[in-house]
Amino acid sequence: MTLHVDNARLLEELELFLVATPENRAHFDLQPFGLQPARDGIIDPLRREASSFLDLLSALDAATFGPEGMPMPRWVFYDAAELPGGIVGLGKRADALPRKVAEHLQIPTGYAGLVPLSMYVAIPTLTPGTWVGHNLCSLRDLSADDALRGIGRLTKAVALKVFNARRQIGVTQWNSRALRLHARMGPLRLLTAWTPAHTYPASLTYEVTVDDRALRHLAGEPGNALPSPPPERWVDGEDNGALEALQARIEAGEHLWVTGLPELLPAGRQRIPIARLPRP
Ligand SMILES: CC(C)(COP(=O)(O)OP(=O)(O)OC[C@H]1O[C@@H](n2cnc3c(N)ncnc32)[C@H](O)[C@@H]1OP(=O)(O)O)[C@@H](O)C(=O)NCCC(=O)NCCS
């Protein structure tokens, strides 16, 4: 039951939080892999006292998605995440934070509570057990040492466990480093490879099966590696022509998958292994 992660400091030094309405919480696993939420880590967005923590989540989102050009307005957090789904993350007490992190999040003077360092936001779909991953971010890059290595992976794994997800749908950009993180859950079936409906058409939409083995591997637990089918080809994450060609194949009825982890190419590009596989 207990979770063992490759960077043990994450579980020793960080505390778990959850933002969700009482109605949604009744459907969640509030002790994911035996982890206990922080004493003040269950936040009800319907109450006024939630506002200082929600301010910090907005600051975390702005610090991570602002540079990507996709920060979330506060009403999107509320209408599209806190009411229909939930937010799960890891944080640390304000007085234990490195100064750089405190400045980045503009922690108000005198605030002594929990400060979020990562979050995963997800929304349930009409298919029971299927959740759309809406936002994942972490402040790992602000940490000078190894303290937060693996926080992004662990956050997503714990959150999907809290939500009791059995299948997850997500959207990410082909050249994003986050794709490596998502691909650790196992083969990703492509629902789109070129996505004009999104702000960034060079985005993929994937679905992935969620079970404890996949979540433990994602979290960084040794010994849970998942089988990786051989790729049929590698696609360059910035080759828009190749991505549109994949989309044409998907629309023609083929089942295409990201079969493993992306590999880095020069100049910050990456190539991604793709194969045609039967639908499970
Ligand atoms: C994407 C993001 C969540 C990753 O979080 P993180 O805390 O760095 O992730 P982890 O430490 O768990 O590392 C996950 C993987 O990314 C790799 N990684 C970490 N930093 C990296 C970097 N600078 N460049 C390339 N890969 C990197 C790690 O090596 C790890 O790979 P592994 O599974 O082989 O060990 C974080 O960078 C972020 O908040 N980015 C801005 C928002 C965003 O783009 N979110 C993704 C939306 S889909």
Side-chain angles (χ1 to χ4, degrees):
M1 182 76 179
T2 323
L3 193 60
H4 299 281
V5 301
D6 47 357
N7 180 6
R9 290 182 67 182
L10 295 172
L11 293 178
E12 286 161 13
E13 298 174 10
L14 302 179
E15 296 181 76
L16 181 66
F17 68 82
L18 162 67
V19 181
T21 62
E23 188 176 330
N24 287 356
R25 281 205 308 273
H27 299 274
F28 293 169
D29 178 349
L30 299 180
Q31 293 179 8
F33 297 112
L35 300 174
Q36 298 286 342
R39 60 179 188 276
D40 50 356
I42 303 250
I43 291 114
D44 179 355
L46 303 178
R47 299 182 71 87
R48 285 174 298 170
E49 69 210 20
S51 70
S52 53
F53 192 79
L54 300 180
D55 288 345
L56 294 173
L57 286 183
S58 292
L60 172 61
D61 177 67
T64 50
F65 276 93
E68 307 278 331
M70 290 190 280
M72 236 194 298
R74 186 66 165 252
W75 65 266
V76 176
F77 259 107
Y78 187 67
D79 293 19
E82 292 154 19
L83 289 182
I87 305 175
V88 171
L90 297 165
K92 214 168 181 169
R93 299 285 138 195
D95 58 7
L97 283 180
R99 211 182 62 210
K100 196 170 166 191
V101 174
E103 284 171 3
H104 220 76
L105 292 181
Q106 300 178 324
I107 312 246
T109 321
Y111 180 80
L114 190 62
V115 175
L117 299 177
S118 69
M119 68 174 153
Y120 185 70
V121 183
I123 308 161
T125 70
L126 292 176
T127 307
T130 296
W131 286 70
V132 173
H134 171 57
N135 180 311
L136 169 68
C137 60
S138 91
L139 288 181
R140 170 190 165 158
D141 287 349
L142 288 186
S143 169
D145 59 13
D146 224 19
L148 298 182
R149 179 176 53 83
I151 187 175
R153 289 194 261 118
L154 177 62
T155 300
K156 179 174 179 182
V158 170
L160 289 173
K161 183 76 176 163
V162 168
F163 299 141
N164 285 311
R166 297 194 300 280
R167 180 167 160 262
Q168 185 244 322
I169 293 173
V171 186
T172 194
Q173 286 65 62
W174 281 102
N175 61 3
S176 167
R177 83 188 215 203
L179 183 51
R180 181 177 181 84
L181 187 157
H182 302 306
R184 279 181 69 104
M185 289 184 73
L188 309 177
R189 188 168 91 85
L190 290 170
L191 303 179
T192 70
W194 181 258
T195 319
H198 192 279
T199 312
Y200 299 106
S203 298
L204 60 119
T205 313
Y206 65 86
E207 66 168 18
V208 64
T209 301
V210 179
D211 56 26
D212 276 9
R213 185 176 175 198
L215 294 183
R216 285 179 181 277
H217 180 62
L218 177 65
E221 192 167 276
N224 282 292
L226 299 155
S228 178
E232 169 190 308
R233 58 169 297 189
W234 291 80
V235 68
D236 180 327
E238 295 190 14
D239 183 347
N240 290 351
L243 303 178
E244 290 203 60
L246 290 179
Q247 176 67 20
R249 289 175 61 185
I250 293 167
E251 290 184 23
E254 287 189 51
H255 295 297
L256 299 181
W257 302 69
V258 171
T259 56
L261 304 186
E263 281 182 8
L264 285 180
L265 297 172
R269 296 161 81 112
Q270 61 184 359
R271 64 175 198 152
I272 299 98
I274 304 286
R276 176 183 165 167
L277 298 172
R279 203 176 169 173

